[in-house]
Amino acid sequence: MPKYYQPEIETASYDEIKKIQNEKLVKQVHHVYNNVAYYRNLMDEKGVSPDDIKTVDDIKKLPFLTKADLREAYPYGLLGTDLKNCVRIHSTSGTTGKRVVAFYTQNDIDLWEECCARALVAAGGTPQDVVQVAYGFGLFTGGSGLNGGSHKLGSLTLPMSSGNTDRQIQFLMDLGATILCCTPSYAAFIGETLAEKGFKPEDNTLKAGIFGAEPWTEEMRHDIERSLGIKAFDIYGLTEISGPGVAFECEEQTGMHINEDHFYAEIIDPETGEVLPEGEEGELVFTSLDKEAFPLLRYRTRDLCVLTRKKCSCGRTHVKMCKPKGRSDDMLIIRGVNVFPSQIETVLLNEGYTPNYQIVVDRENNTDTLDIYVEMQPDQFSDVISDLQEREKALAGAMRTMLGIGPKMHLVAPKSVARSEGKAVRVVDKRKLHD
Ligand code: ADP
Ligand code: ZN
């Protein structure tokens, strides 16, 4: 069984990787300066010329790009090549505002799909596998990325797209899918539906899942692994940089290897923009080293995480990123306390509840309120009010320990929280309505 899709580069020494990055970066900075007027202006304003960039250590001289730049330059302002050389457009999911678009040449698509093929092989994928792609197809990058990666690997690909869960399950069972690719929240829903239909985890042929595009906790991973009887691997990416496969998890399941030969990663202090040393938490910043059509330099992802070069038992040498804790703009500030939805998910799953929950933040008499609605499992369901109140109190206590503030807990009936087929919407912040 092949262990790597591109062994030479995936296990290259740090010096080799650095050499490749240096060469590509010098070339890419010239490419951008000569072709992207928007970024050339930013460089000129900062007084930096392409000749100032000789190695990746000089990258900190370059200006950052943010989502605001992408919106301002929409649609063609950051194109790095003539539109006639482009073969495809994708768009972000618009989770945090107006969508932005990204362009691809055929070469950009090929490199991106190779990254996804690396992810599939790292999850145990081979040409003999049947890969069910249940990420959405269309403008969203999830479906196309894994579909292309599966083709490159030579696996039998089932381009299901998301939704129509009954049909997903029918094909999964009838066609013997061995690898499932979708968002973690959809994987949890598929697992739940299989159980409802009377299937046990060992009844399906799945061996692995590649789940990403949204934050998910270790607790959620265990839950999915149990319900589907598989090993669940994380995958990370963003449309602006290509799509899924910017980074992927290996068998060690302790973070995701960033495809460093294509994407140069930095961690910065989100307040000051200063580059932080390995091991410190901050905002992830990417530079596309090969992209022709949409070559972003120092793009601020707003995802908070940590990088590590600790040796990995899989033999891959590329730097690893931890699970992003969430975006800096996912963080809720409630009564002055920083709260991440992922912390709430951890408590709920640890306390034996389902990952079906919704967080509602509001403001009453100038004070922030935090309400968490969580479904009970059918066996937890009780119509004795005092039982429910006891449980809610216990859960609120566990939340207070984790978050530092106490929410109001609402245990609701099984099936009353909407399921997600793509990226789950966990938070409703009503305070914005009052502003
Ligand atoms: P949008 O930013 O509109 O959601 P994308 O579909 O391109 O558009 O999503 C990219 C974002 O999704 C990333 O910046 C990150 O916040 C999130 N994301 C992607 N993969 C993961 C993952 N494995 N874990 C946590 N968050 C992820
Ligand atoms: Zn590894």
Side-chain angles (χ1 to χ4, degrees), residues 67 91-97 99 140-141 211-216 234-240 243 256 301-303 323-324 326-327 330 423:
K67 202 129 185 171
S91 155
T92 58
S93 315
T95 314
T96 57
R99 289 159 178 260
F140 177 50
T141 52
F211 307 128
E214 63 181 358
W216 52 312
D234 202 354
I235 187 167
Y236 169 92
L238 61 167
T239 314
E240 298 91 316
M256 296 174 270
T301 62
R302 299 183 291 178
D303 292 322
K323 261 185 181 308
R327 302 184 213 220
D330 273 348
K423 296 190 187 221

PDB file of all heavy atoms in Angstrom, residues 67 91-97 99 140-141 211-216 234-240 243 256 301-303 323-324 326-327 330 423, ligand 1:
ATOM      1  N   LYS A  67      -9.161  39.764   3.901  1.00  0.00           N
ATOM      2  CA  LYS A  67     -10.421  39.549   3.172  1.00  0.00           C
ATOM      3  C   LYS A  67     -10.956  40.888   2.650  1.00  0.00           C
ATOM      4  O   LYS A  67     -11.560  40.936   1.586  1.00  0.00           O
ATOM      5  CB  LYS A  67     -11.444  38.900   4.104  1.00  0.00           C
ATOM      6  CG  LYS A  67     -12.536  38.182   3.360  1.00  0.00           C
ATOM      7  CD  LYS A  67     -12.687  36.779   3.895  1.00  0.00           C
ATOM      8  CE  LYS A  67     -13.658  35.927   3.180  1.00  0.00           C
ATOM      9  NZ  LYS A  67     -13.605  34.537   3.620  1.00  0.00           N
ATOM     10  N   SER A  91     -15.792  30.124  -5.301  1.00  0.00           N
ATOM     11  CA  SER A  91     -16.134  31.229  -4.408  1.00  0.00           C
ATOM     12  C   SER A  91     -16.168  30.703  -2.974  1.00  0.00           C
ATOM     13  O   SER A  91     -16.457  29.528  -2.737  1.00  0.00           O
ATOM     14  CB  SER A  91     -17.502  31.767  -4.827  1.00  0.00           C
ATOM     15  OG  SER A  91     -18.130  32.400  -3.760  1.00  0.00           O
ATOM     16  N   THR A  92     -15.873  31.580  -2.023  1.00  0.00           N
ATOM     17  CA  THR A  92     -15.934  31.169  -0.613  1.00  0.00           C
ATOM     18  C   THR A  92     -17.387  30.891  -0.238  1.00  0.00           C
ATOM     19  O   THR A  92     -18.315  31.290  -0.943  1.00  0.00           O
ATOM     20  CB  THR A  92     -15.400  32.267   0.323  1.00  0.00           C
ATOM     21  OG1 THR A  92     -16.189  33.438   0.103  1.00  0.00           O
ATOM     22  CG2 THR A  92     -13.949  32.590   0.040  1.00  0.00           C
ATOM     23  N   SER A  93     -17.565  30.246   0.906  1.00  0.00           N
ATOM     24  CA  SER A  93     -18.927  29.917   1.342  1.00  0.00           C
ATOM     25  C   SER A  93     -19.665  31.144   1.863  1.00  0.00           C
ATOM     26  O   SER A  93     -20.849  31.090   2.121  1.00  0.00           O
ATOM     27  CB  SER A  93     -18.888  28.878   2.455  1.00  0.00           C
ATOM     28  OG  SER A  93     -18.002  27.866   2.129  1.00  0.00           O
ATOM     29  N   GLY A  94     -18.932  32.197   2.110  1.00  0.00           N
ATOM     30  CA  GLY A  94     -19.579  33.401   2.626  1.00  0.00           C
ATOM     31  C   GLY A  94     -19.998  33.262   4.072  1.00  0.00           C
ATOM     32  O   GLY A  94     -20.943  33.907   4.529  1.00  0.00           O
ATOM     33  N   THR A  95     -19.282  32.413   4.833  1.00  0.00           N
ATOM     34  CA  THR A  95     -19.634  32.176   6.235  1.00  0.00           C
ATOM     35  C   THR A  95     -19.595  33.481   7.025  1.00  0.00           C
ATOM     36  O   THR A  95     -20.398  33.691   7.924  1.00  0.00           O
ATOM     37  CB  THR A  95     -18.632  31.179   6.863  1.00  0.00           C
ATOM     38  OG1 THR A  95     -18.454  30.097   5.966  1.00  0.00           O
ATOM     39  CG2 THR A  95     -19.120  30.671   8.201  1.00  0.00           C
ATOM     40  N   THR A  96     -18.638  34.339   6.693  1.00  0.00           N
ATOM     41  CA  THR A  96     -18.483  35.547   7.516  1.00  0.00           C
ATOM     42  C   THR A  96     -18.705  36.829   6.716  1.00  0.00           C
ATOM     43  O   THR A  96     -18.182  37.871   7.052  1.00  0.00           O
ATOM     44  CB  THR A  96     -17.077  35.588   8.152  1.00  0.00           C
ATOM     45  OG1 THR A  96     -16.115  35.525   7.088  1.00  0.00           O
ATOM     46  CG2 THR A  96     -16.857  34.444   9.109  1.00  0.00           C
ATOM     47  N   GLY A  97     -19.461  36.750   5.659  1.00  0.00           N
ATOM     48  CA  GLY A  97     -19.757  37.994   4.945  1.00  0.00           C
ATOM     49  C   GLY A  97     -19.806  37.763   3.453  1.00  0.00           C
ATOM     50  O   GLY A  97     -19.954  36.641   2.994  1.00  0.00           O
ATOM     51  N   ARG A  99     -19.238  36.998  -0.254  1.00  0.00           N
ATOM     52  CA  ARG A  99     -18.357  36.000  -0.858  1.00  0.00           C
ATOM     53  C   ARG A  99     -17.266  36.677  -1.678  1.00  0.00           C
ATOM     54  O   ARG A  99     -17.500  37.712  -2.280  1.00  0.00           O
ATOM     55  CB  ARG A  99     -19.160  35.139  -1.825  1.00  0.00           C
ATOM     56  CG  ARG A  99     -20.118  34.197  -1.162  1.00  0.00           C
ATOM     57  CD  ARG A  99     -21.178  33.792  -2.164  1.00  0.00           C
ATOM     58  NE  ARG A  99     -22.099  32.841  -1.570  1.00  0.00           N
ATOM     59  CZ  ARG A  99     -22.032  31.531  -1.769  1.00  0.00           C
ATOM     60  NH1 ARG A  99     -21.101  31.022  -2.537  1.00  0.00           N
ATOM     61  NH2 ARG A  99     -22.895  30.729  -1.200  1.00  0.00           N
ATOM     62  N   PHE A 140     -18.529  26.148  -4.184  1.00  0.00           N
ATOM     63  CA  PHE A 140     -17.794  25.690  -3.001  1.00  0.00           C
ATOM     64  C   PHE A 140     -16.669  24.754  -3.458  1.00  0.00           C
ATOM     65  O   PHE A 140     -16.864  23.918  -4.351  1.00  0.00           O
ATOM     66  CB  PHE A 140     -18.784  24.965  -2.079  1.00  0.00           C
ATOM     67  CG  PHE A 140     -18.172  24.372  -0.836  1.00  0.00           C
ATOM     68  CD1 PHE A 140     -17.356  25.131  -0.011  1.00  0.00           C
ATOM     69  CD2 PHE A 140     -18.435  23.052  -0.479  1.00  0.00           C
ATOM     70  CE1 PHE A 140     -16.804  24.587   1.146  1.00  0.00           C
ATOM     71  CE2 PHE A 140     -17.893  22.496   0.668  1.00  0.00           C
ATOM     72  CZ  PHE A 140     -17.071  23.269   1.485  1.00  0.00           C
ATOM     73  N   THR A 141     -15.502  24.878  -2.833  1.00  0.00           N
ATOM     74  CA  THR A 141     -14.334  24.107  -3.279  1.00  0.00           C
ATOM     75  C   THR A 141     -14.312  22.660  -2.781  1.00  0.00           C
ATOM     76  O   THR A 141     -13.557  21.835  -3.315  1.00  0.00           O
ATOM     77  CB  THR A 141     -13.035  24.778  -2.795  1.00  0.00           C
ATOM     78  OG1 THR A 141     -13.151  25.003  -1.388  1.00  0.00           O
ATOM     79  CG2 THR A 141     -12.774  26.080  -3.516  1.00  0.00           C
ATOM     80  N   PHE A 211     -12.660  14.776   6.811  1.00  0.00           N
ATOM     81  CA  PHE A 211     -13.667  15.762   7.193  1.00  0.00           C
ATOM     82  C   PHE A 211     -13.020  17.110   7.498  1.00  0.00           C
ATOM     83  O   PHE A 211     -12.037  17.173   8.227  1.00  0.00           O
ATOM     84  CB  PHE A 211     -14.414  15.268   8.447  1.00  0.00           C
ATOM     85  CG  PHE A 211     -14.984  13.879   8.292  1.00  0.00           C
ATOM     86  CD1 PHE A 211     -14.726  12.893   9.242  1.00  0.00           C
ATOM     87  CD2 PHE A 211     -15.766  13.554   7.192  1.00  0.00           C
ATOM     88  CE1 PHE A 211     -15.253  11.609   9.110  1.00  0.00           C
ATOM     89  CE2 PHE A 211     -16.291  12.269   7.041  1.00  0.00           C
ATOM     90  CZ  PHE A 211     -16.037  11.297   8.003  1.00  0.00           C
ATOM     91  N   GLY A 212     -13.594  18.163   6.947  1.00  0.00           N
ATOM     92  CA  GLY A 212     -13.036  19.490   7.197  1.00  0.00           C
ATOM     93  C   GLY A 212     -13.989  20.555   6.717  1.00  0.00           C
ATOM     94  O   GLY A 212     -15.184  20.316   6.555  1.00  0.00           O
ATOM     95  N   ALA A 213     -13.455  21.747   6.494  1.00  0.00           N
ATOM     96  CA  ALA A 213     -14.184  22.940   6.045  1.00  0.00           C
ATOM     97  C   ALA A 213     -14.868  23.684   7.173  1.00  0.00           C
ATOM     98  O   ALA A 213     -15.447  24.745   6.962  1.00  0.00           O
ATOM     99  CB  ALA A 213     -15.187  22.628   4.927  1.00  0.00           C
ATOM    100  N   GLU A 214     -14.824  23.133   8.387  1.00  0.00           N
ATOM    101  CA  GLU A 214     -15.386  23.829   9.548  1.00  0.00           C
ATOM    102  C   GLU A 214     -14.662  23.320  10.793  1.00  0.00           C
ATOM    103  O   GLU A 214     -14.087  22.223  10.775  1.00  0.00           O
ATOM    104  CB  GLU A 214     -16.897  23.560   9.658  1.00  0.00           C
ATOM    105  CG  GLU A 214     -17.237  22.096   9.901  1.00  0.00           C
ATOM    106  CD  GLU A 214     -18.735  21.827   9.984  1.00  0.00           C
ATOM    107  OE1 GLU A 214     -19.528  22.770   9.900  1.00  0.00           O
ATOM    108  OE2 GLU A 214     -19.093  20.647  10.137  1.00  0.00           O
ATOM    109  N   PRO A 215     -14.681  24.099  11.869  1.00  0.00           N
ATOM    110  CA  PRO A 215     -14.007  23.634  13.087  1.00  0.00           C
ATOM    111  C   PRO A 215     -14.746  22.455  13.716  1.00  0.00           C
ATOM    112  O   PRO A 215     -15.975  22.408  13.675  1.00  0.00           O
ATOM    113  CB  PRO A 215     -14.073  24.853  14.025  1.00  0.00           C
ATOM    114  CG  PRO A 215     -14.624  25.977  13.230  1.00  0.00           C
ATOM    115  CD  PRO A 215     -15.284  25.421  12.017  1.00  0.00           C
ATOM    116  N   TRP A 216     -13.998  21.509  14.243  1.00  0.00           N
ATOM    117  CA  TRP A 216     -14.607  20.383  14.972  1.00  0.00           C
ATOM    118  C   TRP A 216     -13.619  19.947  16.051  1.00  0.00           C
ATOM    119  O   TRP A 216     -12.415  20.065  15.890  1.00  0.00           O
ATOM    120  CB  TRP A 216     -15.008  19.233  14.056  1.00  0.00           C
ATOM    121  CG  TRP A 216     -13.978  18.682  13.104  1.00  0.00           C
ATOM    122  CD1 TRP A 216     -13.159  19.387  12.276  1.00  0.00           C
ATOM    123  CD2 TRP A 216     -13.680  17.300  12.860  1.00  0.00           C
ATOM    124  NE1 TRP A 216     -12.381  18.539  11.527  1.00  0.00           N
ATOM    125  CE2 TRP A 216     -12.673  17.257  11.855  1.00  0.00           C
ATOM    126  CE3 TRP A 216     -14.168  16.103  13.371  1.00  0.00           C
ATOM    127  CZ2 TRP A 216     -12.142  16.061  11.377  1.00  0.00           C
ATOM    128  CZ3 TRP A 216     -13.647  14.913  12.874  1.00  0.00           C
ATOM    129  CH2 TRP A 216     -12.651  14.899  11.897  1.00  0.00           C
ATOM    130  N   ASP A 234      -8.718  14.880   9.617  1.00  0.00           N
ATOM    131  CA  ASP A 234      -9.033  16.293   9.417  1.00  0.00           C
ATOM    132  C   ASP A 234      -8.388  16.792   8.119  1.00  0.00           C
ATOM    133  O   ASP A 234      -7.324  16.303   7.725  1.00  0.00           O
ATOM    134  CB  ASP A 234      -8.472  17.083  10.614  1.00  0.00           C
ATOM    135  CG  ASP A 234      -9.158  18.416  10.802  1.00  0.00           C
ATOM    136  OD1 ASP A 234      -9.979  18.801   9.958  1.00  0.00           O
ATOM    137  OD2 ASP A 234      -8.860  19.087  11.818  1.00  0.00           O
ATOM    138  N   ILE A 235      -9.018  17.729   7.474  1.00  0.00           N
ATOM    139  CA  ILE A 235      -8.423  18.371   6.285  1.00  0.00           C
ATOM    140  C   ILE A 235      -8.776  19.844   6.347  1.00  0.00           C
ATOM    141  O   ILE A 235      -9.869  20.210   6.772  1.00  0.00           O
ATOM    142  CB  ILE A 235      -8.920  17.710   4.974  1.00  0.00           C
ATOM    143  CG1 ILE A 235      -8.161  18.260   3.757  1.00  0.00           C
ATOM    144  CG2 ILE A 235     -10.419  17.882   4.779  1.00  0.00           C
ATOM    145  CD1 ILE A 235      -8.367  17.441   2.483  1.00  0.00           C
ATOM    146  N   TYR A 236      -7.824  20.680   5.954  1.00  0.00           N
ATOM    147  CA  TYR A 236      -8.019  22.132   6.073  1.00  0.00           C
ATOM    148  C   TYR A 236      -7.734  22.817   4.748  1.00  0.00           C
ATOM    149  O   TYR A 236      -6.852  22.376   4.000  1.00  0.00           O
ATOM    150  CB  TYR A 236      -7.059  22.674   7.143  1.00  0.00           C
ATOM    151  CG  TYR A 236      -6.958  24.188   7.185  1.00  0.00           C
ATOM    152  CD1 TYR A 236      -7.789  24.932   8.021  1.00  0.00           C
ATOM    153  CD2 TYR A 236      -6.040  24.869   6.391  1.00  0.00           C
ATOM    154  CE1 TYR A 236      -7.701  26.322   8.057  1.00  0.00           C
ATOM    155  CE2 TYR A 236      -5.948  26.257   6.424  1.00  0.00           C
ATOM    156  CZ  TYR A 236      -6.779  26.977   7.267  1.00  0.00           C
ATOM    157  OH  TYR A 236      -6.696  28.351   7.302  1.00  0.00           O
ATOM    158  N   GLY A 237      -8.451  23.860   4.493  1.00  0.00           N
ATOM    159  CA  GLY A 237      -8.145  24.661   3.315  1.00  0.00           C
ATOM    160  C   GLY A 237      -9.065  25.846   3.227  1.00  0.00           C
ATOM    161  O   GLY A 237     -10.015  25.958   4.011  1.00  0.00           O
ATOM    162  N   LEU A 238      -8.763  26.729   2.299  1.00  0.00           N
ATOM    163  CA  LEU A 238      -9.637  27.867   2.080  1.00  0.00           C
ATOM    164  C   LEU A 238      -9.566  28.257   0.614  1.00  0.00           C
ATOM    165  O   LEU A 238      -8.538  28.077  -0.037  1.00  0.00           O
ATOM    166  CB  LEU A 238      -9.304  29.036   3.011  1.00  0.00           C
ATOM    167  CG  LEU A 238      -7.944  29.694   2.953  1.00  0.00           C
ATOM    168  CD1 LEU A 238      -7.998  31.006   3.729  1.00  0.00           C
ATOM    169  CD2 LEU A 238      -6.878  28.829   3.581  1.00  0.00           C
ATOM    170  N   THR A 239     -10.689  28.722   0.117  1.00  0.00           N
ATOM    171  CA  THR A 239     -10.820  29.042  -1.304  1.00  0.00           C
ATOM    172  C   THR A 239      -9.743  30.012  -1.775  1.00  0.00           C
ATOM    173  O   THR A 239      -9.187  29.841  -2.852  1.00  0.00           O
ATOM    174  CB  THR A 239     -12.206  29.696  -1.530  1.00  0.00           C
ATOM    175  OG1 THR A 239     -13.170  28.928  -0.836  1.00  0.00           O
ATOM    176  CG2 THR A 239     -12.552  29.770  -2.987  1.00  0.00           C
ATOM    177  N   GLU A 240      -9.471  31.004  -0.959  1.00  0.00           N
ATOM    178  CA  GLU A 240      -8.524  32.043  -1.371  1.00  0.00           C
ATOM    179  C   GLU A 240      -7.153  31.458  -1.715  1.00  0.00           C
ATOM    180  O   GLU A 240      -6.420  31.987  -2.521  1.00  0.00           O
ATOM    181  CB  GLU A 240      -8.356  33.077  -0.253  1.00  0.00           C
ATOM    182  CG  GLU A 240      -9.625  33.835   0.114  1.00  0.00           C
ATOM    183  CD  GLU A 240     -10.416  33.160   1.234  1.00  0.00           C
ATOM    184  OE1 GLU A 240     -10.576  31.915   1.201  1.00  0.00           O
ATOM    185  OE2 GLU A 240     -10.870  33.875   2.135  1.00  0.00           O
ATOM    186  N   GLY A 243      -8.297  25.632  -1.770  1.00  0.00           N
ATOM    187  CA  GLY A 243      -9.471  24.881  -1.348  1.00  0.00           C
ATOM    188  C   GLY A 243      -8.986  23.822  -0.368  1.00  0.00           C
ATOM    189  O   GLY A 243      -7.868  23.932   0.151  1.00  0.00           O
ATOM    190  N   MET A 256      -2.267  18.728  11.220  1.00  0.00           N
ATOM    191  CA  MET A 256      -2.287  18.563   9.763  1.00  0.00           C
ATOM    192  C   MET A 256      -0.997  19.060   9.129  1.00  0.00           C
ATOM    193  O   MET A 256      -0.544  20.169   9.414  1.00  0.00           O
ATOM    194  CB  MET A 256      -3.480  19.340   9.202  1.00  0.00           C
ATOM    195  CG  MET A 256      -4.812  18.783   9.683  1.00  0.00           C
ATOM    196  SD  MET A 256      -6.205  19.808   9.171  1.00  0.00           S
ATOM    197  CE  MET A 256      -6.342  20.946  10.547  1.00  0.00           C
ATOM    198  N   THR A 301      -5.593  34.577   7.216  1.00  0.00           N
ATOM    199  CA  THR A 301      -6.760  33.685   7.174  1.00  0.00           C
ATOM    200  C   THR A 301      -7.783  33.981   8.271  1.00  0.00           C
ATOM    201  O   THR A 301      -8.912  33.531   8.195  1.00  0.00           O
ATOM    202  CB  THR A 301      -6.335  32.219   7.378  1.00  0.00           C
ATOM    203  OG1 THR A 301      -5.751  32.114   8.683  1.00  0.00           O
ATOM    204  CG2 THR A 301      -5.336  31.777   6.334  1.00  0.00           C
ATOM    205  N   ARG A 302      -7.334  34.640   9.337  1.00  0.00           N
ATOM    206  CA  ARG A 302      -8.139  34.865  10.552  1.00  0.00           C
ATOM    207  C   ARG A 302      -8.332  33.577  11.359  1.00  0.00           C
ATOM    208  O   ARG A 302      -9.000  33.579  12.385  1.00  0.00           O
ATOM    209  CB  ARG A 302      -9.507  35.499  10.235  1.00  0.00           C
ATOM    210  CG  ARG A 302      -9.349  36.856   9.574  1.00  0.00           C
ATOM    211  CD  ARG A 302     -10.665  37.514   9.321  1.00  0.00           C
ATOM    212  NE  ARG A 302     -11.415  36.824   8.280  1.00  0.00           N
ATOM    213  CZ  ARG A 302     -12.618  37.160   7.884  1.00  0.00           C
ATOM    214  NH1 ARG A 302     -13.236  38.169   8.448  1.00  0.00           N
ATOM    215  NH2 ARG A 302     -13.228  36.490   6.934  1.00  0.00           N
ATOM    216  N   ASP A 303      -7.734  32.476  10.899  1.00  0.00           N
ATOM    217  CA  ASP A 303      -7.803  31.224  11.678  1.00  0.00           C
ATOM    218  C   ASP A 303      -6.692  31.225  12.718  1.00  0.00           C
ATOM    219  O   ASP A 303      -5.542  31.531  12.404  1.00  0.00           O
ATOM    220  CB  ASP A 303      -7.641  30.011  10.754  1.00  0.00           C
ATOM    221  CG  ASP A 303      -8.840  29.856   9.823  1.00  0.00           C
ATOM    222  OD1 ASP A 303      -9.968  30.101  10.287  1.00  0.00           O
ATOM    223  OD2 ASP A 303      -8.643  29.516   8.647  1.00  0.00           O
ATOM    224  N   LYS A 323      -5.397  21.750  14.972  1.00  0.00           N
ATOM    225  CA  LYS A 323      -6.780  22.058  14.589  1.00  0.00           C
ATOM    226  C   LYS A 323      -6.998  23.538  14.842  1.00  0.00           C
ATOM    227  O   LYS A 323      -6.734  23.989  15.957  1.00  0.00           O
ATOM    228  CB  LYS A 323      -7.719  21.310  15.532  1.00  0.00           C
ATOM    229  CG  LYS A 323      -8.268  20.047  14.969  1.00  0.00           C
ATOM    230  CD  LYS A 323      -9.277  19.462  15.950  1.00  0.00           C
ATOM    231  CE  LYS A 323      -9.844  18.171  15.425  1.00  0.00           C
ATOM    232  NZ  LYS A 323     -10.378  18.237  14.068  1.00  0.00           N
ATOM    233  N   PRO A 324      -7.485  24.292  13.863  1.00  0.00           N
ATOM    234  CA  PRO A 324      -7.737  25.701  14.188  1.00  0.00           C
ATOM    235  C   PRO A 324      -8.811  25.791  15.263  1.00  0.00           C
ATOM    236  O   PRO A 324      -9.795  25.050  15.244  1.00  0.00           O
ATOM    237  CB  PRO A 324      -8.226  26.311  12.881  1.00  0.00           C
ATOM    238  CG  PRO A 324      -8.104  25.276  11.843  1.00  0.00           C
ATOM    239  CD  PRO A 324      -7.841  23.957  12.485  1.00  0.00           C
ATOM    240  N   GLY A 326     -10.747  28.020  15.690  1.00  0.00           N
ATOM    241  CA  GLY A 326     -11.866  28.808  15.199  1.00  0.00           C
ATOM    242  C   GLY A 326     -11.266  30.052  14.624  1.00  0.00           C
ATOM    243  O   GLY A 326     -10.079  30.292  14.786  1.00  0.00           O
ATOM    244  N   ARG A 327     -12.087  30.799  13.918  1.00  0.00           N
ATOM    245  CA  ARG A 327     -11.545  32.029  13.365  1.00  0.00           C
ATOM    246  C   ARG A 327     -11.523  33.075  14.449  1.00  0.00           C
ATOM    247  O   ARG A 327     -12.330  33.035  15.373  1.00  0.00           O
ATOM    248  CB  ARG A 327     -12.452  32.543  12.264  1.00  0.00           C
ATOM    249  CG  ARG A 327     -12.627  31.545  11.195  1.00  0.00           C
ATOM    250  CD  ARG A 327     -13.456  32.194  10.138  1.00  0.00           C
ATOM    251  NE  ARG A 327     -14.270  31.201   9.518  1.00  0.00           N
ATOM    252  CZ  ARG A 327     -14.489  31.175   8.209  1.00  0.00           C
ATOM    253  NH1 ARG A 327     -13.978  32.075   7.437  1.00  0.00           N
ATOM    254  NH2 ARG A 327     -15.239  30.243   7.708  1.00  0.00           N
ATOM    255  N   ASP A 330     -14.831  34.152  14.964  1.00  0.00           N
ATOM    256  CA  ASP A 330     -15.802  33.215  15.562  1.00  0.00           C
ATOM    257  C   ASP A 330     -15.872  33.430  17.061  1.00  0.00           C
ATOM    258  O   ASP A 330     -16.769  32.971  17.738  1.00  0.00           O
ATOM    259  CB  ASP A 330     -15.327  31.766  15.423  1.00  0.00           C
ATOM    260  CG  ASP A 330     -15.737  31.155  14.111  1.00  0.00           C
ATOM    261  OD1 ASP A 330     -16.554  31.771  13.431  1.00  0.00           O
ATOM    262  OD2 ASP A 330     -15.224  30.076  13.803  1.00  0.00           O
ATOM    263  N   LYS A 423     -21.633  23.354   6.037  1.00  0.00           N
ATOM    264  CA  LYS A 423     -21.044  23.956   7.224  1.00  0.00           C
ATOM    265  C   LYS A 423     -22.160  24.258   8.227  1.00  0.00           C
ATOM    266  O   LYS A 423     -23.123  24.939   7.893  1.00  0.00           O
ATOM    267  CB  LYS A 423     -20.337  25.265   6.863  1.00  0.00           C
ATOM    268  CG  LYS A 423     -19.155  25.078   5.924  1.00  0.00           C
ATOM    269  CD  LYS A 423     -18.361  26.373   5.823  1.00  0.00           C
ATOM    270  CE  LYS A 423     -17.293  26.261   4.766  1.00  0.00           C
ATOM    271  NZ  LYS A 423     -16.013  26.880   5.157  1.00  0.00           N
TER     272      LYS A 423
HETATM  273  P1  ADP B   1     -15.661  30.848   4.074  1.00  0.00           P
HETATM  274  O1  ADP B   1     -14.477  31.603   4.617  1.00  0.00           O
HETATM  275  O2  ADP B   1     -16.677  31.746   3.476  1.00  0.00           O
HETATM  276  O3  ADP B   1     -16.236  29.818   4.997  1.00  0.00           O
HETATM  277  P2  ADP B   1     -14.295  28.709   2.657  1.00  0.00           P
HETATM  278  O4  ADP B   1     -15.311  27.733   2.223  1.00  0.00           O
HETATM  279  O5  ADP B   1     -13.143  28.927   1.745  1.00  0.00           O
HETATM  280  O6  ADP B   1     -15.030  30.056   2.844  1.00  0.00           O
HETATM  281  O7  ADP B   1     -13.784  28.250   4.096  1.00  0.00           O
HETATM  282  C1  ADP B   1     -12.477  28.378   4.574  1.00  0.00           C
HETATM  283  C2  ADP B   1     -12.493  28.451   6.069  1.00  0.00           C
HETATM  284  O8  ADP B   1     -13.117  27.292   6.636  1.00  0.00           O
HETATM  285  C3  ADP B   1     -11.118  28.474   6.699  1.00  0.00           C
HETATM  286  O9  ADP B   1     -10.545  29.757   6.703  1.00  0.00           O
HETATM  287  C4  ADP B   1     -11.420  27.975   8.112  1.00  0.00           C
HETATM  288  O10 ADP B   1     -11.922  29.009   8.926  1.00  0.00           O
HETATM  289  C5  ADP B   1     -12.524  26.971   7.890  1.00  0.00           C
HETATM  290  N1  ADP B   1     -11.952  25.609   7.858  1.00  0.00           N
HETATM  291  C6  ADP B   1     -11.617  24.894   6.775  1.00  0.00           C
HETATM  292  N2  ADP B   1     -11.153  23.664   7.123  1.00  0.00           N
HETATM  293  C7  ADP B   1     -11.173  23.609   8.473  1.00  0.00           C
HETATM  294  C8  ADP B   1     -10.807  22.616   9.451  1.00  0.00           C
HETATM  295  N3  ADP B   1     -10.354  21.432   9.110  1.00  0.00           N
HETATM  296  N4  ADP B   1     -10.960  22.944  10.755  1.00  0.00           N
HETATM  297  C9  ADP B   1     -11.426  24.152  11.113  1.00  0.00           C
HETATM  298  N5  ADP B   1     -11.793  25.118  10.257  1.00  0.00           N
HETATM  299  C10 ADP B   1     -11.671  24.860   8.949  1.00  0.00           C
END
